[in-house]
Amino acid sequence: MAAEIDAGAGRAPACLCVLCGLPAAGKSSLARTILGTAAQHGWRAAVVPYDHLIPEHAFQTRVVEDGAKVQETHTEWKSHRRAVLQCIEQFLKEPQLLTEQLSSCQINREVWQQCVQVLVQPEAAHQTALLFVLDDNFYYPSMRYEVYQLARKYSLGFCQVYLQCDLESCIKRNQCRSRPIPTEVILEMEKHLESPNPQKYSWETNSISLNTTEDLSDCAIQKVIELISFALSNPLCPIEDNTEQKEADRLKCATNVVHQADQACRRLVSEAMKRARENQVPPDHMRSLAAQLNESKAVFLHNLRKQFLQETSFLQNEDINVEGVVKRAVDNFEHEKKEILLRIIND
Ligand SMILES: *[C@@H]1O[C@H](CO)[C@@H](O)[C@H](O)[C@H]1NC(C)=O
Ligand SMILES: *[C@@H]1O[C@H](CO)[C@@H](O)[C@H](O)[C@H]1NC(C)=O
């Protein structure tokens, strides 16, 4: 399929740039700024405004009160987000396709028409690179990962800008808008927001974070421009699809993570035992310490496996940073170990 947009050797580079952050963090204004300077960098750029593309009724179900509801609306919103990505995909394959021919009816076609119009204008023809700036909250990594997958499928550039703005300011700015979002939605989203974390997910490597509590500086804008330029000149490589093999690999990966964590935990346990001996902990307490550490390690490793499989269910194996996962997990165990040891020593 990639071949369809790969017509001729000189296919123009393209990039998907994800803007992520709380409502009113300044995403749309950054998107406008990028759009405004795009031509001078030789980019044909379009902003993809999720809030306008996705119909109001779907948006309303986003009003959330508790965690369960977030999960539910997350699922509802999901099919709409997919539809947006499908539109981008269709455009990549057939830029001349008319909006009426779009296969998806889940998005507002008029808005879509407006956002891609600038891309097909004759005066844009001499601009070689194609840029889509995706403007949504993207608060879960899994939401951003869908974009990454699309970029990879078509060997596009991919980058992410996290707009970090303190909660108070977001709430205040939102209240000044003509159609504010309920404050509780922002509060709820803040609780769930997981900003890009390249240590955890290597596919998020090409990400930057901007402090948008105040107006963006020229220097910050420059950083975004450089990020996009880098993404354009370093497109992703597509991978083959082999679901079964991948699942087997993921289980293997989980076993590997648990094995490495187990080794590290054993070392921590024997260190703790050594410390206890040095502190002249009596033998019965030593036995209790050994049992507690052992028990704690077993529970810890069990949970680690479970959590790892859960968290990686949407990922490709090569996008998981095993070393980072093990290190963070072992740090947690070390903390637990210290507490157990202190309890016994102070007893
Ligand atoms: C962001 O900028 C504001 C105002 O300049 C500052 O008060 C805040 O500490 C900054 N936040 C971070 C995370 O750097
Ligand atoms: C450590 O825990 C495992 C699993 O919970 C158990 O099978 C083993 O007997 C325990 N060993 C010690 C020395 O307590």
Side-chain angles (χ1 to χ4, degrees):
M1 242 193 282
E4 290 176 71
I5 56 161
D6 210 347
R11 178 167 67 85
C15 174
L16 303 183
C17 175
V18 167
L19 303 185
C20 140
L22 293 176
K27 297 181 297 296
S28 303
S29 116
L30 174 62
R32 276 194 302 275
T33 306
I34 298 173
L35 206 57
T37 61
Q40 86 196 52
H41 301 288
W43 305 337
R44 276 183 295 150
V47 174
V48 183
Y50 278 58
D51 281 355
H52 299 173
L53 282 166
I54 297 175
E56 192 80 5
H57 69 83
F59 185 74
Q60 262 154 28
T61 62
R62 264 175 133 185
V63 176
V64 285
E65 264 117 46
D66 57 40
K69 195 83 171 92
V70 164
Q71 217 41 54
E72 201 180 293
T73 52
H74 174 41
T75 316
E76 146 85 34
W77 195 245
K78 201 172 181 170
S79 68
H80 290 282
R81 279 201 323 272
R82 290 251 159 91
V84 174
L85 292 183
Q86 277 161 13
C87 289
I88 296 178
E89 184 167 4
Q90 275 187 356
F91 183 89
L92 289 168
K93 290 199 287 193
E94 292 176 75
Q96 301 311 333
L97 196 71
L98 295 171
T99 309
E100 301 80 67
Q101 293 170 284
L102 280 179
S103 58
S104 173
C105 52
Q106 279 186 301
I107 64 153
N108 183 325
R109 286 155 195 258
E110 237 166 83
V111 175
W112 177 253
Q113 179 65 45
Q114 280 161 18
C115 71
V116 293
Q117 205 156 30
V118 343
L119 300 177
V120 291
Q121 276 164 3
E123 53 269 41
H126 64 281
Q127 263 117 28
T128 49
L130 186 59
L131 170 66
F132 283 100
V133 179
L134 281 66
D135 177 3
D136 194 19
N137 307 112
F138 290 107
Y139 53 95
Y140 284 135
S142 55
M143 298 169 171
R144 305 189 289 270
Y145 190 71
E146 288 167 353
V147 182
Y148 172 81
Q149 280 178 306
L150 177 62
R152 181 161 59 186
K153 184 173 174 188
Y154 292 100
S155 307
L156 313 180
F158 174 76
C159 60
Q160 306 187 120
V161 181
Y162 171 49
L163 289 87
Q164 186 179 28
C165 176
D166 76 73
L167 188 57
E168 292 284 299
S169 311
C170 288
I171 292 173
K172 255 194 235 139
R173 282 185 205 166
N174 172 60
Q175 278 162 352
C176 298
R177 290 183 167 177
S178 56
R179 299 170 72 194
I181 295 170
T183 300
E184 61 267 26
V185 174
I186 302 181
L187 291 173
E188 195 59 38
M189 204 177 284
E190 203 253 350
K191 271 195 257 162
H192 289 263
L193 183 119
E194 284 181 54
S195 58
N197 183 349
Q199 270 84 46
K200 192 166 177 185
Y201 304 124
S202 57
W203 58 272
E204 297 203 291
T205 298
N206 202 20
S207 306
I208 58 170
S209 160
L210 300 179
N211 184 345
T212 56
T213 303
E214 284 172 16
D215 284 348
L216 281 178
S217 62
D218 289 347
C219 173
I221 309 279
Q222 188 54 32
K223 265 171 74 182
V224 177
I225 301 297
E226 281 163 18
L227 178 80
I228 295 171
S229 302
F230 179 85
L232 278 165
S233 46
N234 293 276
L236 306 177
C237 301
I239 51 148
E240 281 173 41
D241 188 46
N242 185 343
T243 312
E244 255 172 58
Q245 184 57 42
K246 270 190 215 148
E247 185 53 20
D249 288 349
R250 199 164 66 89
L251 289 173
K252 222 159 66 189
C253 188
T255 305
N256 180 21
V257 162
V258 171
H259 176 73
Q260 287 189 34
D262 185 35
Q263 299 289 312
C265 291
R266 276 167 205 258
R267 279 194 296 279
L268 292 175
V269 168
S270 45
E271 269 168 37
M273 296 305 291
K274 186 156 164 274
R275 270 280 300 287
R277 263 194 305 280
E278 286 163 4
N279 280 275
Q280 259 105 51
V281 169
D284 57 328
H285 278 57
M286 288 294 282
R287 274 194 297 279
S288 161
L289 176 64
Q292 281 184 46
L293 287 171
N294 183 39
E295 161 83 19
S296 162
K297 177 168 79 82
V299 171
F300 169 78
L301 293 175
H302 174 78
N303 290 341
L304 175 62
R305 181 181 173 84
K306 213 168 93 186
Q307 196 189 349
F308 178 83
L309 287 175
Q310 234 167 41
E311 283 189 357
T312 57
S313 59
F314 65 87
L315 289 174
Q316 304 291 345
N317 296 308
E318 53 275 33
D319 298 328
I320 302 165
N321 175 352
V322 169
E323 207 178 310
V325 172
V326 170
K327 181 167 181 319
R328 259 195 331 281
V330 172
D331 284 350
N332 285 340
F333 180 73
E334 171 145 36
H335 187 73
E336 211 167 297
K337 176 210 83 171
K338 271 194 193 131
E339 285 186 350
I340 294 175
L341 182 61
L342 280 180
R343 251 201 326 270
I344 297 267
I345 290 182
N346 295 333
D347 214 350

